[in-house]
Amino acid sequence: MCGRFNITHLPGLQGLLDELNIGLTLPEPRYNVAPTEDVLLLHEGHADFARWWLVPSWAKEVDTKYSMFNARAESLASSPGFRKPFRSQRGIVPMSNFIEWRAESGQKQPWVITNDEQTIAVAALWDVWHGAEAPLLSCTLVTTQAADAFRPWHNRMPVMLTQQERARWLDNTQSIDPNDPILAPVLKYNLTLYPVSKAVGRSTEKDPELFEPINDSVILRA
């Protein structure tokens, strides 16, 4: 599951863009990015902003009737909305960290999740809808079942690509099997998690200070 994330100016993000040969001046840092907002999408050798909630090319209209901001890895090859993008329209949404909520003492506590580089390359699918005057580029984040160590936070997690996996995921000339290890429910690298202000539960809250740790961090080891 991934419903909020942050993207900031960190060396790891610029390194990711350089690694993928994408020339880009990084946009302003963004906090508490939520579904239906525009996100940075890396695809076909360049970067664009895309609506974070997939609108299939065949859709009659832009709506949020169905939850299309995440795509379950288990149904990528069979879902009408995801199977074509899975074959030939794969991309990456970069983020510095993402947020999950865990039940603690009867309340939902938000936790920030990141890695050592504070740069996570999340597998994404994209499509273009032509039902309006201008084409609409949109995307969805691919999720898989949670690794055992991650389950106390959520039963699903985004597919986080390693450096070795990124180029293959972006190579849309080659298909990827639904059972490929890329989509496996395992931790591919260590994750650092720390609790933050409950105020981030409101997507309108964009203050960077809300994402400072309010207690000790936890490290999940791959």
Side-chain angles (χ1 to χ4, degrees), residues 12-35:
L13 177 57
Q14 189 61 60
L16 171 63
L17 298 174
D18 294 343
E19 168 200 326
L20 298 174
N21 294 315
I22 294 175
L24 176 69
T25 300
L26 291 175
E28 288 299 310
R30 297 178 63 205
Y31 293 88
N32 220 4
V33 180

Side-chain angles (χ1 to χ4, degrees), residues 47-156:
D48 285 308
F49 282 101
R51 180 183 190 263
W52 178 19
W53 194 302
L54 192 76
V55 181
S57 58
W58 43 261
K60 293 182 179 179
E61 60 184 351
V62 177
D63 62 34
T64 54
K65 181 178 180 181
Y66 301 103
S67 295
M68 303 283 281
F69 63 95
N70 283 167
R72 296 171 67 92
E74 299 90 329
S75 59
L76 294 182
S78 59
S79 167
F82 300 142
R83 60 192 176 200
K84 179 178 180 291
F86 179 50
R87 286 196 304 269
S88 59
Q89 293 167 191
R90 299 186 300 271
I92 287 174
V93 170
M95 56 186 70
S96 303
N97 52 62
F98 63 96
I99 299 100
E100 292 292 5
W101 280 260
R102 185 168 79 162
E104 298 178 9
S105 302
Q107 297 184 3
K108 289 187 176 181
Q109 172 61 53
W111 287 69
V112 163
I113 297 108
T114 190
N115 57 5
D116 291 345
E117 294 78 23
Q118 298 187 58
T119 300
I120 302 174
V122 173
L125 307 177
W126 57 271
D127 209 343
V128 180
W129 184 70
H130 293 277
E133 291 184 5
L136 174 64
L137 175 65
S138 64
C139 66
T140 183
L141 304 183
V142 181
T143 69
T144 187
Q145 295 182 42
D148 289 344
F150 195 79
R151 286 189 176 276
W153 282 267
H154 205 282
N155 61 3
R156 299 194 67 79

Side-chain angles (χ1 to χ4, degrees), residues 73 76 86 90-91 121-124 142-145 157-171 174-188:
L76 294 182
F86 179 50
R90 299 186 300 271
V122 173
V142 181
T143 69
T144 187
Q145 295 182 42
M157 63 184 189
V159 171
M160 295 170 269
L161 302 171
T162 65
Q163 184 175 8
Q164 293 73 29
E165 294 171 337
R166 295 166 191 164
R168 190 158 73 90
W169 180 260
L170 288 175
D171 183 3
Q174 302 294 323
S175 62
I176 290 180
D177 189 274
N179 296 315
D180 194 285
I182 282 180
L183 303 171
V186 297
L187 289 185
K188 301 172 184 177

